Amino acid sequence: MTPPLYSELFHQWILRLTGLEKDRYLESAARVKSWRIEHLHQELLEGPSVDNAVATSLLGEAVQELTVAGIPESKLLAKLRRDRNVWPTWAELRAAVLLSRTAVGSHFQMEVSDRGSSRPDYQILFPGEKPHCVEFKAIGLSDEETGFCRRVHPALDALVPSQGLLTFHAQLDLNQINLSSVDPRRLEIDASLATREIPGFPRGLGAVAIVGHGGQRNYARRVRLRLEQEAARQISASGLGWAAFYWTNGAPFAEVISRLDWNAIPERVVGLIFVGDAIAFPHGNIHSFTVFAPRGVNSGETEITSTIHSGLAQAVFERFQVSSGVRATLLVGSEDRDRIELLRRDGKRRILPFNLLMDRDPTPFLK
């Protein structure tokens, strides 16, 4: 059993915000610790946060699920040992799980090979058809987005209210936030008023998000370039394949798809896939999405299914589609006299374990 880095109060907040139960986390944390991968341990287990708790749980479960599917655990762990950055491999294993769950009526395979191998990341075998390979790309925050988060993150501590939610909006080229004109009492009032519009806002939660806008076009360009220059070239000329991307909510899917020139993409590319997880506050549940965009589609039409409720899943998905952008975020929880930092997103991690939306767009931009 991993040491109890999280207090009971912290576990209660994790459950309230994500639906992740304590026993589920502890089981995965013990599994991750047993692998004895030092850089993985340092990244996920030594700093208590909602992000780390979710990432640890999903990673432990991913290795377990993929092992049950026939992929040797030793190969999965070797891949994690090689990736000292942790997150690209984390995203690849999470994507493998989500893709395998959608491969109903077919056989899903994940290729765990050495660096430089020409083998596809995944393969889907459809009965009576040629196998489809899947090339996966983990596109995280851009330099522009991480720069924005690092410039504005010093203001998070000054802006976070003792109770309630504050959301600020700015363009990505904002240099810094001028705190000299901020009235703390006005902020507390605004945060309290905002919670009235959010049913079930947790007592004792202080939250602030600074949203950076204007990166949608660049995100769509990055997806297109990774598709044309990498994924398309890695799919065998004699085969068929998909290009899969880790979803970071950098732009609405419709905008990404509309900027593709399918005539410039080899016909062996049969489409795009976006995979990832999302939490739409205040609904404490990790929603997992796998979105297919077949070749030739020129908009963001999607068919959403859910193990909980398809209507809720559609509502969550649409909420993210109209609220894309990078979000520097700080969540602080309190109960009685205890006050703990729950989550801090400040641009240090380019790949995050889930998309988090605390409030909808738009509101007036910061000046």
mmCIF file with all atom_site columns, all heavy atoms in Angstrom, residues 302-314:
data_model
loop_
_atom_site.group_PDB
_atom_site.id
_atom_site.type_symbol
_atom_site.label_atom_id
_atom_site.label_alt_id
_atom_site.label_comp_id
_atom_site.label_asym_id
_atom_site.label_entity_id
_atom_site.label_seq_id
_atom_site.pdbx_PDB_ins_code
_atom_site.Cartn_x
_atom_site.Cartn_y
_atom_site.Cartn_z
_atom_site.occupancy
_atom_site.B_iso_or_equiv
_atom_site.pdbx_formal_charge
_atom_site.auth_seq_id
_atom_site.auth_comp_id
_atom_site.auth_asym_id
_atom_site.auth_atom_id
_atom_site.pdbx_PDB_model_num
ATOM 1  N N   . THR A 1 302 ? -20.728 14.554 -34.782 1.00 0.00 ? 302 THR A N   1
ATOM 2  C CA  . THR A 1 302 ? -20.294 13.442 -33.958 1.00 0.00 ? 302 THR A CA  1
ATOM 3  C C   . THR A 1 302 ? -21.495 12.692 -33.430 1.00 0.00 ? 302 THR A C   1
ATOM 4  O O   . THR A 1 302 ? -22.592 13.232 -33.319 1.00 0.00 ? 302 THR A O   1
ATOM 5  C CB  . THR A 1 302 ? -19.471 13.930 -32.747 1.00 0.00 ? 302 THR A CB  1
ATOM 6  O OG1 . THR A 1 302 ? -20.260 14.860 -31.994 1.00 0.00 ? 302 THR A OG1 1
ATOM 7  C CG2 . THR A 1 302 ? -18.185 14.604 -33.176 1.00 0.00 ? 302 THR A CG2 1
ATOM 8  N N   . GLU A 1 303 ? -21.279 11.439 -33.150 1.00 0.00 ? 303 GLU A N   1
ATOM 9  C CA  . GLU A 1 303 ? -22.303 10.617 -32.501 1.00 0.00 ? 303 GLU A CA  1
ATOM 10 C C   . GLU A 1 303 ? -21.770 10.245 -31.127 1.00 0.00 ? 303 GLU A C   1
ATOM 11 O O   . GLU A 1 303 ? -20.733 9.602  -30.997 1.00 0.00 ? 303 GLU A O   1
ATOM 12 C CB  . GLU A 1 303 ? -22.588 9.357  -33.320 1.00 0.00 ? 303 GLU A CB  1
ATOM 13 C CG  . GLU A 1 303 ? -23.642 8.459  -32.675 1.00 0.00 ? 303 GLU A CG  1
ATOM 14 C CD  . GLU A 1 303 ? -23.934 7.222  -33.493 1.00 0.00 ? 303 GLU A CD  1
ATOM 15 O OE1 . GLU A 1 303 ? -23.500 7.177  -34.672 1.00 0.00 ? 303 GLU A OE1 1
ATOM 16 O OE2 . GLU A 1 303 ? -24.593 6.312  -32.979 1.00 0.00 ? 303 GLU A OE2 1
ATOM 17 N N   . ILE A 1 304 ? -22.468 10.669 -30.092 1.00 0.00 ? 304 ILE A N   1
ATOM 18 C CA  . ILE A 1 304 ? -22.011 10.494 -28.724 1.00 0.00 ? 304 ILE A CA  1
ATOM 19 C C   . ILE A 1 304 ? -22.780 9.363  -28.058 1.00 0.00 ? 304 ILE A C   1
ATOM 20 O O   . ILE A 1 304 ? -24.012 9.335  -28.084 1.00 0.00 ? 304 ILE A O   1
ATOM 21 C CB  . ILE A 1 304 ? -22.191 11.784 -27.902 1.00 0.00 ? 304 ILE A CB  1
ATOM 22 C CG1 . ILE A 1 304 ? -21.481 12.966 -28.580 1.00 0.00 ? 304 ILE A CG1 1
ATOM 23 C CG2 . ILE A 1 304 ? -21.690 11.593 -26.481 1.00 0.00 ? 304 ILE A CG2 1
ATOM 24 C CD1 . ILE A 1 304 ? -19.987 12.836 -28.634 1.00 0.00 ? 304 ILE A CD1 1
ATOM 25 N N   . THR A 1 305 ? -22.054 8.425  -27.499 1.00 0.00 ? 305 THR A N   1
ATOM 26 C CA  . THR A 1 305 ? -22.674 7.383  -26.684 1.00 0.00 ? 305 THR A CA  1
ATOM 27 C C   . THR A 1 305 ? -22.064 7.445  -25.293 1.00 0.00 ? 305 THR A C   1
ATOM 28 O O   . THR A 1 305 ? -20.964 7.942  -25.108 1.00 0.00 ? 305 THR A O   1
ATOM 29 C CB  . THR A 1 305 ? -22.456 5.979  -27.279 1.00 0.00 ? 305 THR A CB  1
ATOM 30 O OG1 . THR A 1 305 ? -21.050 5.723  -27.364 1.00 0.00 ? 305 THR A OG1 1
ATOM 31 C CG2 . THR A 1 305 ? -23.077 5.875  -28.665 1.00 0.00 ? 305 THR A CG2 1
ATOM 32 N N   . SER A 1 306 ? -22.810 6.954  -24.307 1.00 0.00 ? 306 SER A N   1
ATOM 33 C CA  . SER A 1 306 ? -22.348 7.052  -22.938 1.00 0.00 ? 306 SER A CA  1
ATOM 34 C C   . SER A 1 306 ? -22.827 5.857  -22.143 1.00 0.00 ? 306 SER A C   1
ATOM 35 O O   . SER A 1 306 ? -23.920 5.333  -22.387 1.00 0.00 ? 306 SER A O   1
ATOM 36 C CB  . SER A 1 306 ? -22.862 8.346  -22.303 1.00 0.00 ? 306 SER A CB  1
ATOM 37 O OG  . SER A 1 306 ? -22.577 8.378  -20.918 1.00 0.00 ? 306 SER A OG  1
ATOM 38 N N   . THR A 1 307 ? -21.994 5.432  -21.179 1.00 0.00 ? 307 THR A N   1
ATOM 39 C CA  . THR A 1 307 ? -22.408 4.366  -20.266 1.00 0.00 ? 307 THR A CA  1
ATOM 40 C C   . THR A 1 307 ? -23.284 4.927  -19.155 1.00 0.00 ? 307 THR A C   1
ATOM 41 O O   . THR A 1 307 ? -23.866 4.166  -18.387 1.00 0.00 ? 307 THR A O   1
ATOM 42 C CB  . THR A 1 307 ? -21.174 3.690  -19.636 1.00 0.00 ? 307 THR A CB  1
ATOM 43 O OG1 . THR A 1 307 ? -20.389 4.682  -18.969 1.00 0.00 ? 307 THR A OG1 1
ATOM 44 C CG2 . THR A 1 307 ? -20.336 3.001  -20.705 1.00 0.00 ? 307 THR A CG2 1
ATOM 45 N N   . ILE A 1 308 ? -23.368 6.253  -19.041 1.00 0.00 ? 308 ILE A N   1
ATOM 46 C CA  . ILE A 1 308 ? -24.197 6.881  -18.018 1.00 0.00 ? 308 ILE A CA  1
ATOM 47 C C   . ILE A 1 308 ? -25.502 7.375  -18.619 1.00 0.00 ? 308 ILE A C   1
ATOM 48 O O   . ILE A 1 308 ? -26.579 6.895  -18.311 1.00 0.00 ? 308 ILE A O   1
ATOM 49 C CB  . ILE A 1 308 ? -23.441 8.051  -17.347 1.00 0.00 ? 308 ILE A CB  1
ATOM 50 C CG1 . ILE A 1 308 ? -22.146 7.544  -16.699 1.00 0.00 ? 308 ILE A CG1 1
ATOM 51 C CG2 . ILE A 1 308 ? -24.317 8.739  -16.304 1.00 0.00 ? 308 ILE A CG2 1
ATOM 52 C CD1 . ILE A 1 308 ? -21.289 8.637  -16.117 1.00 0.00 ? 308 ILE A CD1 1
ATOM 53 N N   . HIS A 1 309 ? -25.411 8.343  -19.532 1.00 0.00 ? 309 HIS A N   1
ATOM 54 C CA  . HIS A 1 309 ? -26.591 8.917  -20.163 1.00 0.00 ? 309 HIS A CA  1
ATOM 55 C C   . HIS A 1 309 ? -26.126 9.669  -21.402 1.00 0.00 ? 309 HIS A C   1
ATOM 56 O O   . HIS A 1 309 ? -25.324 10.606 -21.298 1.00 0.00 ? 309 HIS A O   1
ATOM 57 C CB  . HIS A 1 309 ? -27.310 9.856  -19.197 1.00 0.00 ? 309 HIS A CB  1
ATOM 58 C CG  . HIS A 1 309 ? -28.634 10.347 -19.722 1.00 0.00 ? 309 HIS A CG  1
ATOM 59 N ND1 . HIS A 1 309 ? -28.733 11.383 -20.613 1.00 0.00 ? 309 HIS A ND1 1
ATOM 60 C CD2 . HIS A 1 309 ? -29.900 9.917  -19.477 1.00 0.00 ? 309 HIS A CD2 1
ATOM 61 C CE1 . HIS A 1 309 ? -30.012 11.596 -20.905 1.00 0.00 ? 309 HIS A CE1 1
ATOM 62 N NE2 . HIS A 1 309 ? -30.738 10.728 -20.221 1.00 0.00 ? 309 HIS A NE2 1
ATOM 63 N N   . SER A 1 310 ? -26.610 9.262  -22.576 1.00 0.00 ? 310 SER A N   1
ATOM 64 C CA  . SER A 1 310 ? -26.126 9.863  -23.818 1.00 0.00 ? 310 SER A CA  1
ATOM 65 C C   . SER A 1 310 ? -26.452 11.354 -23.881 1.00 0.00 ? 310 SER A C   1
ATOM 66 O O   . SER A 1 310 ? -25.683 12.146 -24.431 1.00 0.00 ? 310 SER A O   1
ATOM 67 C CB  . SER A 1 310 ? -26.728 9.136  -25.025 1.00 0.00 ? 310 SER A CB  1
ATOM 68 O OG  . SER A 1 310 ? -28.145 9.175  -24.979 1.00 0.00 ? 310 SER A OG  1
ATOM 69 N N   . GLY A 1 311 ? -27.589 11.765 -23.315 1.00 0.00 ? 311 GLY A N   1
ATOM 70 C CA  . GLY A 1 311 ? -27.935 13.181 -23.319 1.00 0.00 ? 311 GLY A CA  1
ATOM 71 C C   . GLY A 1 311 ? -26.963 14.008 -22.507 1.00 0.00 ? 311 GLY A C   1
ATOM 72 O O   . GLY A 1 311 ? -26.557 15.103 -22.924 1.00 0.00 ? 311 GLY A O   1
ATOM 73 N N   . LEU A 1 312 ? -26.566 13.495 -21.335 1.00 0.00 ? 312 LEU A N   1
ATOM 74 C CA  . LEU A 1 312 ? -25.594 14.188 -20.503 1.00 0.00 ? 312 LEU A CA  1
ATOM 75 C C   . LEU A 1 312 ? -24.245 14.259 -21.204 1.00 0.00 ? 312 LEU A C   1
ATOM 76 O O   . LEU A 1 312 ? -23.581 15.302 -21.199 1.00 0.00 ? 312 LEU A O   1
ATOM 77 C CB  . LEU A 1 312 ? -25.453 13.481 -19.152 1.00 0.00 ? 312 LEU A CB  1
ATOM 78 C CG  . LEU A 1 312 ? -24.368 14.019 -18.214 1.00 0.00 ? 312 LEU A CG  1
ATOM 79 C CD1 . LEU A 1 312 ? -24.633 15.479 -17.869 1.00 0.00 ? 312 LEU A CD1 1
ATOM 80 C CD2 . LEU A 1 312 ? -24.289 13.169 -16.947 1.00 0.00 ? 312 LEU A CD2 1
ATOM 81 N N   . ALA A 1 313 ? -23.834 13.157 -21.807 1.00 0.00 ? 313 ALA A N   1
ATOM 82 C CA  . ALA A 1 313 ? -22.554 13.133 -22.518 1.00 0.00 ? 313 ALA A CA  1
ATOM 83 C C   . ALA A 1 313 ? -22.545 14.153 -23.654 1.00 0.00 ? 313 ALA A C   1
ATOM 84 O O   . ALA A 1 313 ? -21.550 14.857 -23.862 1.00 0.00 ? 313 ALA A O   1
ATOM 85 C CB  . ALA A 1 313 ? -22.277 11.732 -23.060 1.00 0.00 ? 313 ALA A CB  1
ATOM 86 N N   . GLN A 1 314 ? -23.642 14.243 -24.390 1.00 0.00 ? 314 GLN A N   1
ATOM 87 C CA  . GLN A 1 314 ? -23.736 15.215 -25.479 1.00 0.00 ? 314 GLN A CA  1
ATOM 88 C C   . GLN A 1 314 ? -23.656 16.638 -24.942 1.00 0.00 ? 314 GLN A C   1
ATOM 89 O O   . GLN A 1 314 ? -22.967 17.499 -25.513 1.00 0.00 ? 314 GLN A O   1
ATOM 90 C CB  . GLN A 1 314 ? -25.053 15.023 -26.237 1.00 0.00 ? 314 GLN A CB  1
ATOM 91 C CG  . GLN A 1 314 ? -25.211 15.932 -27.448 1.00 0.00 ? 314 GLN A CG  1
ATOM 92 C CD  . GLN A 1 314 ? -24.280 15.557 -28.587 1.00 0.00 ? 314 GLN A CD  1
ATOM 93 O OE1 . GLN A 1 314 ? -24.191 14.393 -28.974 1.00 0.00 ? 314 GLN A OE1 1
ATOM 94 N NE2 . GLN A 1 314 ? -23.568 16.536 -29.118 1.00 0.00 ? 314 GLN A NE2 1
#
